[in-house]
Amino acid sequence: VQLQASGGGLVQPGGSLRLSCAASSDRFAVNTIGWYRQAPGKQRELVAAITSGGSTNFGDSVKGRFDVSRDNARTTAYLQMNRLKPEDTAVYYCNADYDYILDKPGEFWGQGTQVTVSS
């Protein structure tokens, strides 16, 4: 599975950003795409994940602020991040798996993209 993430950057508190993760595979369809993040000195944690069927899971700290969606071809997932807080600052990693996995990381990782929330 090849993963291409994009959309990180610098944003002020209260602002929004959208991350994209495009998944491609020459074997089987990718079922789960998600994002995990890691801030300095902290463990990697779930941000959000979505299956090809549209089931989702969110980390507790982002519920109600972030949303995840998938395009019609189900090859690209989007993480819409709203009402961003300084504590959302982290490197965000795209993650995917052939299986339906919403409660732990999948097998495949993309490159990280930096999200910085600061005034």
Side-chain angles (χ1 to χ4, degrees):
V1 176
Q2 304 294 322
L3 299 173
Q4 182 66 44
S6 61
L10 172 65
V11 63
Q12 291 187 342
S16 298
L17 276 177
R18 190 175 82 156
L19 304 184
S20 300
C21 178
S24 61
S25 170
D26 59 0
R27 292 179 58 199
F28 309 108
V30 173
N31 275 314
T32 305
I33 301 176
W35 283 266
Y36 286 75
R37 68 185 182 187
Q38 187 166 22
K42 295 188 177 181
Q43 290 188 332
R44 191 172 295 188
E45 64 175 356
L46 169 71
V47 179
I50 184 169
T51 69
S52 58
S55 297
T56 60
N57 191 25
F58 294 89
D60 289 341
S61 63
V62 307
K63 287 179 180 177
R65 299 188 297 121
F66 290 12
D67 195 15
V68 62
S69 60
R70 204 149 166 172
D71 68 349
N72 289 336
R74 297 178 295 191
T75 59
T76 300
Y78 304 95
L79 179 68
Q80 179 66 43
M81 304 184 292
N82 300 318
R83 303 201 310 272
L84 283 159
K85 304 175 181 180
E87 50 263 43
D88 293 318
T89 296
V91 177
Y92 285 66
Y93 295 91
C94 184
N95 177 263
D97 203 278
Y98 292 122
D99 289 335
Y100 292 93
I101 299 177
L102 290 174
D103 58 353
K104 61 182 180 179
E107 180 178 355
F108 304 99
W109 292 94
Q111 83 280 11
T113 184
Q114 178 70 45
V115 172
T116 302
V117 184
S118 175
S119 55

